[in-house]
Amino acid sequence: MTTSFQTNPYKLSDLMRECHEGKLQLPDFQRGWVWDQDRITDLLASISEGFPVGALMTLDATGEVSFAVRPVEGAPSPSKDIEAYLLDGQQRMTSLYQSTYTTVPVSTQTVKKRPIKLHFYFDIRAALDTDVPRSEAIVPVPEDRIIRENFGRDIKLDLSTEENEFEHLHFPIDRMFGAQDWQTNAIDWIYKELDQRSEHLKLINAFMQGVVRNFDQYQVPVIKLGKDTSRAAVCLVFEKVNTGGKPLDAFELVTAMYAAEEFHLRDDWKERRKRLVLTQPVLDKIEPVEFLQAISLLHTKEVREAAIAAGKEPPAISATRNSLLQVPLSAYQKFAPKVEAGYIAAAKFLHSLKIFKARDLPYQTQLVPLAAILAELGNTWENDAVRQKLARWYWSGVFGELYGSAVESRFALDIRDFKPWLSGGAEPQTVQRASFEERRLRTLRSRLSAAYKGVHALLMKCGAEDFKSGQPYDQAVFFDENVDIHHIFPQAWCKSVGIGPEIYNSIVNKTPIASGTNRMLGGVAPSSYLGRLTKGNDSNPAIAPDRLTAILQSHEIEESYLHADDFEGFMNERRQRLLAIIESAMGKEALKEAEVPSDLEEEDYYAEEELEAAE
């Protein structure tokens, strides 16, 4: 068995030269250089003493994996003769290249993140003193090579000329790989006044042997990935080695690969996202990887159908990271406009379900198959029969709570199953497998829960009207009146009668209410705020009792329990009403409880709620 990589030692000087010549460059997905001056100092000190500083990892640039590249920061413009991509070791190579191989000042930062430009020097006396830590022998010097004190009024150390460097016995580290020329010039300077400068000669020669020689001979272990390394393997490897930074996602790799074909994916995505989010707040949290996943679903479905038509073994429909890395630029350009239209249609569809904001979206992940399905359907989705099936599929995913994990495989089933269902085929797996347990209503308390958000939207979809204004919650009212989900039996009242938050925070005790209306209700008993509504005042005209009854019915609330301040009776009765509208939305019966315990005995059901925040 052969391995797909080799590990060999490389001279540091050769690596610096390859960075300078552009033979070793960074793939464009690599992030900017961020090391501060202390880390650079520690790195230089380690190499000067021959200590290991870790291995590098490169990828052969002659294989099928092609990336847009950029040089190590500070190096000349990219060369077309690139031989390898630097996958791991960017910070070390950039630090070393800028500090040892170019006389341009190092653009770094202080430990407090303040940008600064520096040159680094070895104090030769300190570097040869065994009692001085090597890192303390390295001197950072300002861009003009002059250290000042007394608020800049006095010069402490002037290294702005070579003669001054010789005089003060400070070696410029940016001359490290041209140190012999510096040494030659130093000796010429010394011999002009040898009697006075003999100690300089001794110290400089000792420094060249004891410190500079370590840089000349220093070897770095380099793990070289072969040219047959796959895109998925590159992504996985980079994630493993890049533990100190932001995880690399597939979008960044695809961006780099498309850039090699002179297509700027990041710019294209920014424009598409701007169009999507500008007028559609429900899409506010859409991520570029999700957009690629929808494209991958359509692309791999098309490839599968073509294989079936040709009598070949059909590949799988997929939205995994590996499949995203296999989407060619031509497929992106073909499907991106369709997927963008699919997301716009998805927003319209969600609005019809009374889901208007990203915060109220039950599952961000479910947007991926929804957009792909709508992209494939085109205008057909607006047909009533299609909309009904689409809604049933959507609510099944929400109340079946099916999009919390292992979502990529479900995406593939959705795009495979939905369109045939419209023509009389079997129900999609999402619809078949979805189930809702009656007792789940007892545990829904977290606003992070998909089913919790689903009940909130479903109440508005079923016609809930505001307690005070009587307006149904269309998009304009929702935003203008700042509609959110609030307690029916107010929290303050519940606390006053000894009802705990594990009970009164249940979704069963909540409903959509405008913020102004909620303030008017206050923390009083329901019987009191109902009286306020029917009595009215100067700023809020009275609501007729029969109209108030109708408004409460639109929220699936039996008014008599509120007049009697009967919390337990209200909870049991409304639980059944909410269950009925969930069953209607899913098109199937829920799993019933054999015996419903009283609210004060529900603690056993609430353990599940502790996991809600992770959803």
Side-chain angles (χ1 to χ4, degrees):
M1 175 180 176
T2 59
T3 58
S4 58
F5 66 90
Q6 295 178 339
T7 302
N8 297 302
Y10 277 76
K11 289 190 69 174
L12 179 60
S13 58
D14 291 339
L15 290 170
M16 294 294 97
R17 186 182 66 254
E18 289 183 4
C19 289
H20 186 76
E21 294 174 352
K23 293 180 180 179
L24 179 63
Q25 294 189 48
L26 300 168
D28 196 46
F29 58 75
Q30 287 270 37
R31 294 164 181 93
W33 177 64
V34 295
W35 270 18
D36 61 45
Q37 66 182 74
D38 285 357
R39 296 189 72 179
I40 297 173
T41 296
D42 289 341
L43 177 66
L44 293 170
S46 294
I47 291 175
S48 75
E49 296 191 276
F51 296 160
V53 296
L56 306 181
M57 183 178 293
T58 65
L59 170 67
D60 191 326
T62 63
E64 66 166 291
V65 179
S66 179
F67 297 118
V69 293
R70 57 184 173 84
V72 167
E73 290 183 42
S77 299
S79 165
K80 294 184 178 180
D81 298 324
I82 180 172
E83 295 178 356
Y85 305 110
L86 179 61
L87 297 184
D88 184 34
Q90 174 197 6
Q91 308 291 348
R92 285 165 288 162
M93 286 296 97
T94 304
S95 297
L96 289 169
Y97 178 80
Q98 289 197 6
S99 60
T100 69
Y101 209 83
T102 173
T103 57
V104 175
V106 180
S107 296
T108 181
Q109 58 188 13
T110 67
V111 291
K112 294 184 178 181
K113 309 300 181 185
R114 181 173 64 85
I116 190 171
K117 292 186 177 183
L118 298 171
H119 298 279
F120 290 89
Y121 278 80
F122 270 113
D123 179 335
I124 292 176
R125 291 184 187 276
L128 295 174
D129 188 338
T130 56
D131 293 329
V132 176
R134 186 58 57 84
S135 60
E136 294 182 12
I138 297 174
V139 182
V141 177
E143 186 176 3
D144 64 359
R145 300 181 188 262
I146 299 174
I147 298 177
R148 294 176 172 83
E149 58 186 3
N150 193 18
F151 300 101
R153 289 189 286 266
D154 301 328
I155 294 177
K156 178 181 179 182
L157 180 64
D158 184 351
L159 300 173
S160 60
T161 66
E162 220 178 24
E163 289 77 9
N164 286 353
E165 292 171 351
F166 305 151
E167 174 69 36
H168 296 295
L169 286 168
H170 274 63
F171 174 78
I173 296 177
D174 54 24
R175 300 282 299 277
M176 183 61 70
F177 295 106
Q180 288 184 345
D181 291 338
W182 186 89
Q183 183 184 23
T184 298
N185 293 340
I187 291 173
D188 289 343
W189 175 83
I190 290 168
Y191 273 97
K192 289 178 181 178
E193 298 182 27
L194 182 59
D195 291 342
Q196 291 79 21
R197 299 170 179 170
S198 59
E199 186 184 12
H200 285 70
L201 179 62
K202 177 182 176 182
L203 290 172
I204 288 174
N205 286 338
F207 175 77
M208 297 295 290
Q209 287 296 313
V211 178
V212 172
R213 190 165 178 266
N214 285 341
F215 279 86
D216 285 337
Q217 297 183 348
Y218 195 86
Q219 293 189 325
V220 181
V222 178
I223 302 169
K224 299 184 65 175
L225 301 181
K227 62 182 180 180
D228 58 341
T229 306
S230 69
R231 297 173 180 180
V234 172
C235 190
L236 180 62
V237 165
F238 193 83
E239 282 190 348
K240 296 297 184 184
V241 301
N242 193 38
T243 55
K246 177 185 173 186
L248 178 74
D249 61 36
F251 179 80
E252 292 171 300
L253 269 175
V254 175
T255 297
M257 291 186 290
Y258 287 176
E261 300 182 57
E262 299 185 353
F263 181 81
H264 302 292
L265 177 61
R266 188 172 286 108
D267 293 340
D268 183 80
W269 162 246
K270 285 181 179 178
E271 288 302 312
R272 294 187 189 280
R273 189 184 190 283
K274 186 186 301 182
R275 291 193 293 268
L276 290 172
V277 173
L278 190 62
T279 58
Q280 309 292 347
V282 75
L283 302 179
D284 186 59
K285 294 184 180 179
I286 182 175
E287 294 290 337
V289 168
E290 296 168 351
F291 192 81
L292 286 179
Q293 286 179 313
I295 289 174
S296 180
L297 289 173
L298 297 178
H299 168 62
T300 54
K301 185 173 187 286
E302 181 180 71
V303 171
R304 177 181 174 83
E305 290 172 346
I308 292 173
K312 299 179 181 178
E313 182 68 23
I317 300 171
S318 178
T320 63
R321 180 177 62 185
N322 187 40
S323 68
L324 267 56
L325 300 178
Q326 305 305 319
V327 174
L329 176 58
S330 59
Y332 177 87
Q333 292 173 318
K334 175 180 180 178
F335 289 112
K338 296 181 180 180
V339 169
E340 182 179 345
Y343 270 100
I344 292 172
K348 293 179 180 178
F349 169 73
L350 291 169
H351 291 171
S352 74
L353 301 185
K354 307 298 183 182
I355 300 171
F356 302 115
K357 296 193 300 186
R359 180 173 182 254
D360 295 321
L361 191 63
Y363 282 117
Q364 178 71 27
T365 51
Q366 200 174 0
L367 266 178
V368 173
L370 176 60
I373 288 169
L374 292 172
E376 191 173 42
L377 291 179
N379 293 332
T380 306
W381 80 271
E382 296 179 339
N383 176 278
D384 181 66
V386 177
R387 289 170 71 100
Q388 287 189 33
K389 286 192 171 181
L390 192 64
R392 187 181 170 203
W393 164 81
Y394 186 79
W395 292 126
S396 293
V398 170
F399 292 111
E401 299 180 283
L402 298 176
Y403 289 88
S405 60
V407 290
E408 288 87 358
S409 58
R410 185 159 300 283
F411 294 169
L413 293 173
D414 288 332
I415 195 69
R416 183 198 71 181
D417 294 346
F418 191 85
K419 197 171 182 181
W421 185 34
L422 300 179
S423 304
E427 293 176 342
Q429 291 291 312
T430 294
V431 175
Q432 290 184 36
R433 296 178 182 177
S435 64
F436 186 82
E437 295 186 23
E438 180 182 0
R439 72 175 191 172
R440 183 70 174 111
L441 284 169
R442 301 176 180 276
T443 67
L444 288 174
R445 300 191 305 274
S446 170
R447 213 190 190 292
L448 298 176
S449 166
Y452 180 104
K453 296 177 183 180
V455 173
H456 176 40
L458 195 55
L459 282 165
M460 292 188 288
K461 170 64 177 172
C462 292
E465 301 170 331
D466 189 65
F467 283 16
K468 183 176 71 172
S469 70
Q471 296 182 96
Y473 298 122
D474 59 22
Q475 187 174 359
V477 171
F478 182 87
F479 285 105
D480 290 347
E481 302 299 328
N482 192 21
V483 175
D484 205 345
I485 195 156
H486 295 288
H487 294 86
I488 299 168
F489 277 72
Q491 178 175 320
W493 180 86
C494 290
K495 289 180 178 178
S496 72
V497 298
I499 300 172
E502 73 280 3
I503 299 174
Y504 67 67
N505 279 332
S506 165
I507 190 66
V508 179
N509 186 39
K510 292 183 179 180
T511 206
I513 299 175
S515 60
T517 302
N518 189 56
R519 287 193 297 271
M520 179 184 174
L521 300 183
V524 299
S527 59
S528 297
Y529 70 65
L530 291 183
R532 291 175 183 174
L533 292 170
T534 55
K535 182 178 180 181
N537 55 39
D538 292 341
S539 57
N540 293 293
I543 300 175
D546 59 342
R547 177 62 181 132
L548 182 58
T549 299
I551 290 173
L552 294 173
Q553 288 289 347
S554 74
H555 288 260
E556 305 298 336
I557 296 172
E558 171 52 50
E559 183 180 7
S560 61
Y561 293 108
L562 272 60
H563 280 297
D565 296 329
D566 181 359
F567 181 81
E568 185 172 350
F570 158 78
M571 291 289 283
N572 285 330
E573 199 271 345
R574 192 168 192 254
R575 187 180 298 115
Q576 297 308 308
R577 290 193 178 206
L578 294 183
L579 190 65
I581 64 172
I582 292 172
E583 289 177 329
S584 177
M586 296 179 67
K588 63 173 64 176
E589 289 188 2
L591 300 176
K592 302 294 194 300
E593 293 177 336
E595 181 179 355
V596 180
S598 71
D599 289 300
L600 300 181
E601 296 173 346
E602 291 181 354
E603 287 82 356
D604 290 344
Y605 294 101
Y606 295 126
E608 182 178 354
E609 190 71 11
E610 299 301 322
L611 302 176
E612 290 288 351
E615 294 185 2

